[in-house]
């Protein structure tokens, strides 16, 4: 495979074929994110992508999922994305699910009809960073879209029948904005009503803008208990029709896997017990991104 730069994928795509169709992220200015700081955004040439699909056809016959890397493959114009999905379907018929990262701007470039075309060709899941439902936070982290816009675009994906996994970040509002961030994020998640929610706990990445702010004392990173309280408020304000709310990423202090609405009360009670010191939290040295 012709990989360039660092390759990232969601934890649930750990066993997927990783097909790099872009390098970097077309936005690349979120203050907390260091993933693609070293990469320039490019769309890889068709010949290289097709050669990688050919390679996968010979060497990845046991992998039934495929993830399109890097930052936001959905930004590819429809006329370039369709042949890639057609080639995946033709050459890798055992692949049952294609996934991608997506953001509000890349979704806005597609009509619902175009998204349905992608779904029909196998694009079954998109991973979208909401980060926060609070516009003040979204502005301060330079997300590039307001919550109303992110919610609208997330619903557009769902309307096209593409499953959604939404990421929120505990601690991203600092201590001062924590309560509002938790409430507003719960409200936004309720509106989007995705199949999956993944809550990460903020870990500051050197060489990012947020890290610099923290070094200068302009951003106060909430501690484990504060992040847990934030998670509790967020879950309290999140009402999903039928979804999985996970906070079991390596960055989290307390692993949570809740099926909402069924497990809501039990999860809130579990966090209460952790806050009361009855459950050990993951030590700092075992956390990771
Ligand atoms: S968080 Fe996502 S959209 Fe923001 S810079 Fe990182 S990869 Fe790009």
């Amino acid at each position: 495979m012709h990989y360039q730069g660092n390759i990232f994928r969601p934890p649930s795509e750990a066993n997927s074929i990783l097909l790099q169709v872009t390098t970097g992220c077309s936005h690349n200015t979120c203050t907390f994110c260091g993933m693609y700081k070293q990469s320039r955004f490019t769309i890889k040439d068709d010949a290289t992508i097709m050669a990688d699909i050919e390679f996968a056809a010979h060497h990845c016959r046991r992998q039934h999922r495929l993830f399109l890397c890097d930052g936001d493959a959905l930004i590819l114009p429809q006329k370039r994305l369709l042949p890639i999905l057609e080639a995946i379907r033709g050459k890798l018929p055992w692949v049952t699910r294609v996934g991608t990262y997506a953001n509000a701007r890349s979704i806005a470039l597609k009509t619902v009809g175009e998204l349905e075309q992608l779904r029909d060709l196998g694009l079954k899941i998109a991973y979208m960073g909401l980060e926060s439902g609070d516009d003040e936070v979204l502005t301060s982290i330079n997300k590039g879209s307001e919550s109303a816009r992110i919610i609208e675009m997330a619903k557009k994906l769902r309307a096209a029948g593409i499953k959604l996994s939404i990421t929120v970040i505990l601690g991203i509002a600092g201590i001062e904005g924590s309560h509002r961030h938790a409430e507003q994020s719960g409200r936004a998640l309720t509106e989007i009503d995705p199949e999956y929610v993944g809550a990460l706990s903020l870990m500051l990445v050197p060489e990012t803008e947020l890290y610099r702010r923290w070094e200068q004392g302009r951003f106060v990173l909430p501690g484990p208990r504060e992040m847990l309280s934030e998670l509790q408020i967020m879950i309290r304000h999140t009402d999903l029709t039928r979804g999985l709310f996970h906070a079991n990423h390596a960055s989290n202090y307390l692993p949570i896997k809740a099926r909402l609405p069924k497990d809501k009360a039990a999860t809130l009670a579990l966090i209460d017990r952790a806050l009361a010191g009855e459950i050990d939290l993951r030590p700092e040295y075992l956390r990771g991104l």
Side-chain angles (χ1 to χ4, degrees), residues 208-222:
T208 59
E209 174 59 25
L210 194 59
Y211 189 89
R212 274 188 288 279
R213 284 190 204 169
W214 171 73
E215 277 187 319
Q216 295 161 357
R218 292 158 57 214
F219 177 80
V220 182
L221 183 66

Side-chain angles (χ1 to χ4, degrees), residues 254-281:
L254 178 70
I256 297 240
K257 270 177 132 174
R259 193 171 285 280
L260 298 187
K262 186 169 71 75
D263 301 335
K264 186 165 177 169
T267 306
L268 294 175
L270 180 78
I271 299 175
D272 265 339
R273 287 182 53 214
L275 286 170
E278 292 170 23
I279 300 173
D280 288 340
L281 302 184

Side-chain angles (χ1 to χ4, degrees), residues 7-284:
I7 299 294
F8 297 93
R9 44 103 190 128
S12 52
E13 300 284 346
N15 298 317
S16 304
I17 300 167
L18 301 177
L19 179 67
Q20 189 181 34
V21 298
T22 66
T23 62
C25 160
S26 63
H27 181 54
N28 214 15
T29 56
C30 296
T31 60
F32 60 89
C33 174
M35 294 205 304
Y36 301 113
K37 284 283 175 273
Q38 313 304 330
S39 308
R40 196 168 62 88
F41 177 73
T42 61
I43 296 177
K44 292 178 80 171
D45 65 84
D46 291 333
T48 305
I49 297 169
M50 293 304 168
D52 282 349
I53 294 173
E54 198 63 53
F55 178 92
H58 290 99
H59 301 283
C60 307
R61 301 183 73 89
R62 293 193 177 167
Q63 290 161 272
H64 297 280
R65 290 179 175 178
L66 181 145
F67 185 72
L68 299 171
C69 312
D70 283 342
D72 53 353
L74 205 61
I75 199 95
L76 255 72
Q78 191 79 351
K79 65 176 190 308
R80 293 195 64 183
L81 210 36
L82 288 178
I84 292 171
L85 289 172
E86 278 161 0
I88 292 168
R89 175 153 286 187
K91 303 266 180 185
L92 315 171
W94 55 88
V95 167
T96 54
R97 184 180 95 171
V98 176
T100 179
Y101 286 125
N103 60 44
R105 290 196 311 180
S106 59
I107 299 165
L109 295 172
K110 308 253 182 294
T111 64
V112 174
E114 287 174 329
L115 292 170
E116 282 170 347
Q117 255 185 319
L118 300 178
R119 180 210 59 206
D120 289 344
L121 282 169
L123 184 69
K124 299 272 173 60
I125 186 163
Y127 300 82
M128 206 179 167
L130 167 68
E131 331 302 7
S132 174
D134 180 2
D135 281 337
E136 261 187 52
V137 177
L138 291 173
T139 303
S140 81
I141 63 173
N142 207 12
K143 186 65 195 167
S145 304
E146 294 184 338
S147 66
R149 185 67 167 161
I150 299 176
I151 292 167
E152 183 191 352
M153 291 303 116
K155 285 176 159 179
K156 188 172 167 185
L157 267 187
R158 292 209 75 211
I162 296 172
K163 286 189 177 167
L164 252 185
S165 177
I166 299 273
T167 304
V168 287
I169 305 180
L170 303 172
I172 195 74
I175 287 187
E176 238 176 69
S178 172
H179 198 280
R180 201 185 53 235
H181 160 59
E183 278 186 359
Q184 294 298 315
S185 299
R187 176 196 55 80
L189 291 171
T190 302
E191 255 198 82
I192 297 170
D193 199 17
E195 284 81 3
Y196 308 98
V197 177
L200 315 178
S201 296
L202 179 64
M203 296 186 77
L204 293 167
V205 179
E207 293 176 31
T208 59
E209 174 59 25
L210 194 59
Y211 189 89
R212 274 188 288 279
R213 284 190 204 169
W214 171 73
E215 277 187 319
Q216 295 161 357
R218 292 158 57 214
F219 177 80
V220 182
L221 183 66
R225 293 174 56 80
E226 284 142 343
M227 291 210 200
L228 263 187
S229 296
E230 194 174 291
L231 177 63
Q232 193 180 44
I233 298 166
M234 198 179 289
I235 292 177
R236 196 173 286 136
H237 285 82
T238 302
D239 292 309
L240 304 182
T241 311
R242 194 163 177 267
L244 291 175
F245 192 119
H246 283 181
N248 59 344
H249 185 262
S251 64
N252 293 115
Y253 291 101
L254 178 70
I256 297 240
K257 270 177 132 174
R259 193 171 285 280
L260 298 187
K262 186 169 71 75
D263 301 335
K264 186 165 177 169
T267 306
L268 294 175
L270 180 78
I271 299 175
D272 265 339
R273 287 182 53 214
L275 286 170
E278 292 170 23
I279 300 173
D280 288 340
L281 302 184
R282 178 179 277 141
E284 212 59 54

